[in-house]
Amino acid sequence: MAASMRMKTQACCLCRVPSLLTREASKSHLRNYSSKVKQARHIKPGECCVDPGVAKPMTKGGISFKSHPGIMTLRPVKMPEKLSTTIKKVIDTFPVQNLNKRSEKLNNYLHSRHPPTEQDTLTRLAQEIQNNIKEKDKVDTSTMSPKEQKQYEKKISLQVLKRLRYTQYHWVPLKFDAPTCMTYLYSRMAHNYSVMMKCFTEISRRDPEYSPKSMFDFGSGLASSVWAGNRVWGPNIYEYYCVDPSQDMNTLARLLLQGGEEKKDMTISGVYFRQFLPSQKQNSFNIVTSSYTLLELPSREKRLETLLSLWQMTDDFLVLVENGSKAGFQLINEAKEYLLQFSEEHDELEGHVFAPCPHEKACPKLAERNSPCMFGVTYKPLDMSPQGTEAKQTSRYSYVILRKGKRKQDAAWPRVIQEVVRASKHVHCHLCWPDGKLSHDILTARKHGKDVYSCVRASNWGDLFPIHLKDGSTGDTDTNPGGGDTDGMEGETADVCDDSSAKPGIVDSGSYSEDRLQNVTLNKCSETFVSEAWRESVRTETARRPTWRVPVRLFSSQT
């Protein structure tokens, strides 16, 4: 009797079983929990296996399924030693007062940024507020004199403006002067580099034979995409075309490529800087990137116009990256839906989603859970201490990679969209499927097979899951993702709760338009230098109040 009523000491938190429950109580709790979750369960026992295209070569080669090809997660990303050394050298050469505090404030402010509210939205909200105020006051203006009516309308306008100020986000353009660029270098370079490394590595792993020749970076900032692209594809890329409206940012990015010495040749050849977009009709690039730039555009119309220009200049891949926040994901989702709709209407610009979505449908995570789709990257931040540390940081970001052309008819793999919970003898996994549905699956070795179990246990948030549903089954909608009958889970879930090498390619001369040829001439390495005005700006303007210190606490996070 005592043995049958033995208390449990550990539990799987996702199964919602308390740590001190008897066996019968835990079964009852599992039944209740399973009936509450409404996500469809795709993977049913006996109806799935590892994709045969993956299983056969791995079995023959004696490769463990823990190293399956769907793994896209990187080890903690570290910047190249040459880049880290140069950054330290530049920071020592151009010191900024209170760099740590300034970098922390800038980082927090950038992450809290929201897109600007559209003018028609502001007009509609102002009209609603004005009507509410007048209804509440119940003032008959017909009995007022013209002067009194004018004063009353002015009073209402001030109240409307005050309420809008406290309910709407106050977007202002961010100006990157020399001190702000130095602060951005210290706080964001490692993060931006690691995110672009993860995006480019996924392209390289999923298409090993792909070798780009040119790259265009809109909003290039400190040229983190250039460093990441060179790390992944090496000398195969012979042209990096960088556009950033801030001349100070371009100066600093060029200085990093020169090793911190002003008149030295750049470490990576073929890098050119400009402040304005080139003509999309005369220029095209294999890869086009835009990271953390859409939030800086003043309106939705300007964003869509810029996105269309970038898509028209894209030959193969368009990579868009924003903050891992609801505001950042909204812009990524807006860009994806707009470009997919545009590509459907124009056959010459047809494209599909390469990553992270395995489909072209509306985001199910946003529709069903009202939650942004984001992913994480772990990296080693810039360490200014002489002895060095092994500190790591994890940041979240939202992204989409679009590819020109039609999607291949091969079976796509689902994407892991949340952290994988590895419990004792079972794994909780949230997947986004090619049919545009979500699922929360509980996988075990006995019911789903050792190969499937090994794959999912080795997978992480953001990886692809190389699973094949037998007979093309996509899994019927099931309101009980924990299993059709929880009694059958006794032996599994109820009991387990006890606790690049870059190949040198042939460089194609390509076709240059006149503005690109002129840009090549004006950006010779021997002619680049840091102006005295830029030096003086760093020395004298550090004591000024930074332009990005806007009192955002006065405004709510609603957009």
Side-chain angles (χ1 to χ4, degrees):
M1 181 66 178
S4 62
M5 295 298 292
R6 187 172 298 165
M7 309 297 284
K8 293 180 179 292
T9 57
Q10 295 180 353
C12 168
C13 61
L14 208 59
C15 288
R16 308 286 180 87
V17 181
S19 58
L20 295 177
L21 283 179
T22 61
R23 184 179 301 275
E24 293 300 326
S26 66
K27 292 178 185 177
S28 175
H29 188 90
L30 279 174
R31 294 189 190 98
N32 295 334
Y33 168 66
S34 300
S35 62
K36 293 179 181 178
V37 184
K38 298 181 180 180
Q39 277 73 35
R41 183 184 182 187
H42 284 65
I43 307 178
K44 296 182 179 180
E47 295 185 0
C48 64
C49 64
V50 177
D51 193 323
V54 174
K56 290 181 180 179
M58 294 186 72
T59 303
K60 290 182 179 179
I63 304 175
S64 172
F65 284 95
K66 296 180 180 180
S67 304
H68 65 82
I71 294 179
M72 300 297 159
T73 307
L74 302 177
R75 294 181 178 180
V77 181
K78 184 179 180 181
M79 291 188 295
E81 191 65 30
K82 184 179 297 184
L83 177 58
S84 300
T85 304
T86 303
I87 293 176
K88 295 177 182 179
K89 183 177 180 180
V90 170
I91 292 178
D92 291 339
T93 306
F94 306 100
V96 178
Q97 298 178 5
N98 301 322
L99 184 58
N100 288 326
K101 293 183 179 179
R102 290 171 63 94
S103 63
E104 183 179 357
K105 290 181 180 180
L106 175 61
N107 201 28
N108 293 338
Y109 173 69
L110 291 176
H111 190 75
S112 65
R113 291 272 281 176
H114 288 260
T117 307
E118 298 299 317
Q119 187 61 42
D120 56 348
T121 303
L122 284 176
T123 304
R124 177 179 54 81
L125 292 175
Q127 187 63 41
E128 292 178 358
I129 295 174
Q130 181 177 354
N131 294 337
N132 292 335
I133 294 176
K134 289 184 177 181
E135 290 179 2
K136 186 176 181 181
D137 291 346
K138 297 181 180 180
V139 176
D140 186 8
T141 57
S142 60
T143 60
M144 297 182 180
S145 63
K147 185 177 180 180
E148 291 176 342
Q149 290 182 2
K150 188 176 181 180
Q151 292 178 350
Y152 179 72
E153 292 296 335
K154 185 177 180 180
K155 176 184 176 182
I156 295 295
S157 299
L158 292 176
Q159 292 180 1
V160 170
L161 183 62
K162 182 178 180 180
R163 190 169 300 182
L164 282 176
R165 178 182 176 88
Y166 279 89
T167 57
Q168 297 300 310
Y169 179 77
H170 181 58
W171 183 90
V172 292
L174 185 58
K175 297 180 180 180
F176 283 96
D177 53 8
T180 307
C181 291
M182 294 295 297
T183 307
Y184 189 86
L185 170 66
Y186 181 74
S187 62
R188 298 284 295 183
M189 184 61 181
H191 166 80
N192 293 358
Y193 172 80
S194 60
V195 171
M196 298 312 299
M197 268 294 298
K198 192 171 182 181
C199 293
F200 292 158
T201 301
E202 179 166 357
I203 296 176
S204 177
R205 287 182 179 180
R206 292 178 59 183
D207 193 353
E209 298 181 357
Y210 178 70
S211 178
K213 298 295 185 296
S214 59
M215 179 185 295
F216 175 75
D217 190 7
F218 175 69
S220 56
L222 298 171
S224 56
S225 298
V226 174
W227 289 94
N230 182 262
R231 180 77 174 271
V232 175
W233 290 292
N236 290 347
I237 304 180
Y238 63 84
E239 180 190 17
Y240 298 90
Y241 198 91
C242 303
V243 171
D244 196 284
S246 172
Q247 183 60 44
D248 292 327
M249 190 70 82
N250 290 336
T251 300
L252 185 55
R254 186 184 294 112
L255 188 62
L256 294 178
L257 291 167
Q258 292 173 321
E261 300 180 14
E262 300 173 16
K263 296 186 178 181
K264 187 178 179 181
D265 290 342
M266 288 189 280
T267 304
I268 302 174
S269 60
V271 183
Y272 312 108
F273 294 92
R274 287 196 63 183
Q275 291 182 266
F276 305 98
L277 277 171
S279 172
Q280 63 269 21
K281 296 182 179 180
Q282 300 179 4
N283 298 277
S284 61
F285 305 84
N286 296 126
I287 295 182
V288 176
T289 66
S290 175
S291 55
Y292 306 103
T293 307
L294 298 178
L295 276 169
E296 304 305 323
L297 299 180
S299 65
R300 183 177 185 271
E301 181 181 359
K302 185 64 175 179
R303 287 198 302 271
L304 300 184
E305 178 185 344
T306 303
L307 287 169
L308 182 57
S309 298
L310 297 180
W311 186 237
Q312 290 174 341
M313 287 189 288
T314 302
D315 284 340
D316 302 318
F317 291 96
L318 173 62
V319 182
L320 303 175
V321 179
E322 285 298 333
N323 291 327
S325 61
K326 192 169 185 179
F329 172 70
Q330 285 176 350
L331 295 188
I332 291 294
N333 192 52
E334 175 190 74
K336 183 193 75 170
E337 292 182 348
Y338 172 71
L339 292 178
L340 287 179
Q341 181 181 0
F342 188 86
S343 64
E344 290 179 359
E345 300 171 355
H346 301 78
D347 295 338
E348 68 277 6
L349 295 175
E350 185 177 8
H352 65 275
V353 180
F354 181 81
C357 313
H359 54 81
E360 276 73 51
K361 300 180 181 180
C363 178
K365 190 173 182 181
L366 181 64
E368 298 180 17
R369 305 181 185 179
N370 194 25
S371 175
C373 186
M374 62 183 72
F375 302 90
V377 61
T378 303
Y379 62 95
K380 296 183 179 180
L382 181 65
D383 184 16
M384 297 296 294
S385 59
Q387 66 274 13
T389 60
E390 295 297 328
K392 300 176 185 178
Q393 291 184 4
T394 301
S395 297
R396 295 183 179 181
Y397 65 98
S398 296
Y399 79 108
V400 65
I401 303 178
L402 301 174
R403 188 172 192 176
K404 282 289 182 71
K406 295 182 179 181
R407 179 185 290 273
K408 296 181 180 180
Q409 297 301 322
D410 300 341
W413 296 340
R415 175 84 60 171
V416 182
I417 60 170
Q418 283 187 211
E419 195 71 43
V420 177
V421 179
R422 301 171 183 85
S424 174
K425 298 182 182 180
H426 73 289
V427 176
H428 289 263
C429 186
H430 294 257
L431 300 173
C432 180
W433 290 81
D435 59 0
K437 296 181 180 179
L438 299 181
S439 70
H440 169 200
D441 297 288
I442 304 176
L443 305 177
T444 66
R446 183 174 70 86
K447 289 189 175 182
H448 300 89
K450 293 183 179 180
D451 296 342
V452 173
Y453 185 68
S454 298
C455 283
V456 70
R457 204 164 182 88
S459 300
N460 293 286
W461 188 2
D463 290 344
L464 294 172
F465 190 19
I467 194 173
H468 174 72
L469 298 180
K470 297 179 180 179
D471 300 327
S473 173
T474 59
D476 298 330
T477 301
D478 185 2
T479 58
N480 187 3
D485 64 308
T486 51
D487 293 335
M489 295 170 55
E490 295 177 12
E492 293 294 331
T493 311
D495 290 341
V496 295
C497 288
D498 291 337
D499 54 8
S500 96
S501 59
K503 300 180 180 179
I506 301 175
V507 178
D508 185 9
S509 59
S511 59
Y512 286 83
S513 62
E514 293 183 2
D515 57 345
R516 286 171 75 178
L517 286 173
Q518 182 181 9
N519 186 70
V520 172
T521 305
L522 295 177
N523 284 276
K524 292 182 180 179
C525 299
S526 59
E527 297 180 1
T528 59
F529 61 94
V530 179
S531 64
E532 282 299 323
W534 196 87
R535 290 172 174 274
E536 187 65 23
S537 177
V538 174
R539 288 195 296 265
T540 60
E541 295 186 11
T542 54
R544 298 191 323 175
R545 182 176 180 178
T547 57
W548 41 265
R549 287 186 60 186
V550 179
V552 294
R553 63 181 181 275
L554 298 180
F555 308 97
S556 67
S557 60
Q558 300 176 358
T559 56

